[in-house]
């Protein structure tokens, strides 16, 4: 794997201090906050800016630097490791994102209707999310892909709680399978709102019925209405289940089996067995995905919305329930 090249100059001009939102100055090997009262500095390692507010983030810059320095190291794999990787790749997946590939073209259409060359911020963009190929292959759209981890698509390191970009910098934001991994989802959504231009568009996918899949960095789940309230400062264009109850059932079965052991080897075998015996459940979701009952049992939800001037009142929120009571 290789890191992306240095951050483009037009994107660099939009950067701000993640602590105080003042402009940043680039010097040799780092960015410095232009506000003398803040005077924070942030390293640039191999062309990769690490713009983390350590005062509020669970991540530490020194640890991220260590990860970055070891990121490009090629480790020689033994025969057993290669065999394990081949087995994992050959097993059927229990997961299926039904709506992603349908929603990203809609997201693109909305963006291109308001700008001929929209700029889109991707939170959690170290790798390409499911269905995002339509977005990444559109030459008219400029993607700024950020994450708290290093990956082949990471442009800069930042924390969604303190996004290091000026107000109204972007036409769109994508945050797919991320909000369960942040300690304060409401604060992150406020940051998304801040960096979006007027009438800017957000697309989110967030789990509901999924087990812990990020270890210590997995914090929250949302019901359909809970997810809608998270984006209460956005006017809804569309929302619903992205991954259905078939996938939720397969995940529950897989984690049920794995809970019988603490051994990594045994848990891996149990996970493989679950994949082989329950992968077919996800295909029921093609039939179930738009049914009202699915909104009470979905594996994950999506939300497509536009930045609004007024927040959705809670008494209006409860009227939006579309499940089966």
């Amino acid at each position: 794997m290789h890191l992306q090249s240095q951050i483009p100059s037009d994107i660099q001009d939009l950067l701000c201090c993640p602590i105080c939102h003042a402009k940043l100055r680039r010097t040799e090997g780092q960015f410095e906050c232009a506000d003398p009262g803040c005077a924070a500095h942030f390293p640039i390692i191999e062309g990769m800016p690490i713009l983390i507010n350590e005062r509020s983030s669970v991540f530490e810059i020194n640890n991220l630097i260590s990860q970055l320095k070891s990121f490009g190291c090629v480790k020689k794999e033994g025969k057993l490791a290669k065999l394990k990787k081949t087995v994992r790749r050959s097993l059927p997946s229990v997961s299926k994102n039904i709506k992603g590939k349908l929603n990203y073209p809609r997201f693109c259409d909305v963006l291109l209707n308001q700008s001929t060359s929209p700029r889109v911020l991707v939170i959690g963009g170290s790798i390409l999310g499911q269905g995002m190929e339509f977005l990444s292959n559109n030459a008219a759209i400029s993607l700024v892909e950020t994450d708290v981890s290093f990956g082949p698509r990471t442009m800069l390191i930042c924390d969604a709680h303190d996004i290091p970009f000026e107000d109204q910098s972007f036409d769109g934001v994508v945050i797919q399978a991320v909000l369960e991994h942040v300690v304060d989802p409401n604060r992150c959504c406020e940051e998304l709102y801040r960096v979006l231009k007027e009438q800017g568009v957000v697309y989110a996918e967030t789990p509901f019925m999924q087990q812990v899949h990020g270890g210590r960095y997995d914090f929250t789940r949302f019901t359909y209405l809970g997810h809608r309230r998270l984006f209460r400062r956005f006017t809804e264009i569309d929302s619903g289940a992205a991954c259905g109850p078939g996938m939720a059932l397969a995940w529950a079965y897989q984690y049920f089996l794995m809970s019988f052991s603490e051994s990594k080897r045994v848990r891996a075998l149990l996970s493989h067995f679950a994949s082989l015996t329950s992968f077919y459940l996800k295909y029921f979701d093609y039939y179930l995905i738009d049914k009202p009952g699915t909104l009470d049992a979905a594996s994950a939800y999506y939300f497509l919305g536009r930045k609004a001037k007024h927040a959705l009142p809670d008494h209006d929120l409860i009227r939006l329930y579309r499940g089966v009571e």
Side-chain angles (χ1 to χ4, degrees):
M1 282 190 201
H2 299 283
L3 294 173
Q4 282 205 14
S5 58
Q6 293 188 1
I7 186 168
S9 58
D10 62 324
I11 303 302
Q12 183 173 306
D13 290 341
L14 298 171
L15 290 174
C16 70
C17 176
I19 299 172
C20 70
H21 293 170
K23 290 292 292 184
L24 289 177
R25 290 190 299 254
R26 181 163 184 167
T27 60
E28 186 175 352
Q30 66 180 9
F31 278 105
E32 295 179 349
C33 179
D35 184 348
C38 177
H41 58 275
F42 308 93
I44 304 171
I45 308 298
E46 298 183 21
M48 178 74 65
I50 303 179
L51 304 177
I52 295 288
N53 179 4
E54 290 185 301
R55 302 175 190 178
S56 61
S57 179
V58 298
F59 300 97
E60 297 180 358
I61 290 176
N62 285 337
N63 289 340
L64 291 169
I65 291 174
S66 298
Q67 291 175 29
L68 176 55
K69 288 181 176 178
S70 63
F71 178 80
C73 297
V74 178
K75 296 180 181 179
K76 187 175 181 180
E77 290 184 327
K79 291 183 179 180
L80 182 59
K82 290 181 179 179
L83 177 61
K84 288 179 179 179
K85 186 178 290 186
T86 301
V87 170
R88 285 197 300 269
R89 288 176 177 174
S90 63
L91 288 170
S93 172
V94 298
S95 301
K96 188 66 178 177
N97 187 326
I98 302 292
K99 290 289 189 175
K101 287 187 177 181
L102 301 174
N103 290 336
Y104 277 111
R106 296 184 62 194
F107 176 70
C108 290
D109 287 343
V110 176
L111 281 173
L112 293 171
N113 281 337
Q114 66 186 38
S115 174
T116 56
S117 55
R119 184 183 290 121
V120 176
L121 175 66
V122 182
I123 303 293
S126 61
I127 60 173
L128 205 62
Q130 293 186 42
M132 278 191 67
E133 296 83 3
F134 189 90
L135 188 62
S136 63
N137 291 335
N138 193 316
I141 298 174
S142 175
L143 295 183
V144 179
E145 292 160 296
T146 70
D147 210 316
V148 289
S149 64
F150 303 99
R153 301 188 66 90
T154 308
M155 183 177 291
L156 64 91
I157 297 295
C158 69
D159 189 321
H161 296 85
D162 295 287
I163 299 175
F165 285 101
E166 296 178 346
D167 296 0
Q168 301 190 36
S169 292
F170 296 94
D171 301 282
V173 173
V174 171
I175 184 162
Q176 182 180 28
V178 171
L179 288 169
E180 72 272 30
H181 299 301
V182 301
V183 294
D184 191 344
N186 286 288
R187 177 175 171 178
C188 293
C189 285
E190 287 296 316
E191 280 290 273
L192 302 183
Y193 184 90
R194 180 183 64 80
V195 300
L196 275 172
K197 297 177 181 178
E198 296 299 326
Q199 298 294 301
V201 185
V202 64
Y203 180 71
E205 290 180 3
T206 312
F208 172 42
M209 299 293 282
Q210 290 183 14
Q211 283 69 28
V212 171
H213 54 268
R216 68 193 65 192
Y217 298 107
D218 194 336
F219 303 101
T220 314
R221 297 295 183 270
F222 296 93
T223 63
Y224 172 71
L225 286 186
H227 197 234
R228 179 65 185 93
R229 191 178 190 279
L230 197 58
F231 293 95
R232 60 191 177 278
R233 298 191 68 185
F234 294 84
T235 301
E236 180 179 317
I237 298 173
D238 193 17
S239 68
C243 309
M247 175 177 160
L249 180 58
W251 270 55
Y253 169 64
Q254 183 180 60
Y255 276 75
F256 166 73
L257 292 181
M258 290 194 300
S259 66
F260 282 92
S261 177
E262 296 178 7
S263 163
K264 288 186 177 180
R265 181 175 297 180
V266 174
R267 284 172 63 85
L269 291 172
L270 291 170
S271 176
H272 297 341
F273 177 79
S275 296
L276 289 169
T277 55
S278 67
F279 72 91
Y280 64 90
L281 291 171
K282 66 189 178 186
Y283 296 114
F284 285 98
D285 290 338
Y286 283 104
Y287 173 73
L288 296 171
I289 198 68
D290 291 320
K291 292 190 172 296
T294 292
L295 288 180
D296 296 328
S299 179
Y301 299 110
Y302 71 89
F303 178 82
L304 176 63
R306 194 186 297 276
K307 184 175 180 177
K309 292 183 178 180
H310 304 287
L312 176 72
D314 286 342
H315 55 73
D316 288 342
L317 173 73
I318 61 173
R319 298 191 185 106
L320 298 178
Y321 178 72
R322 305 191 335 242
V324 179
E325 290 187 300

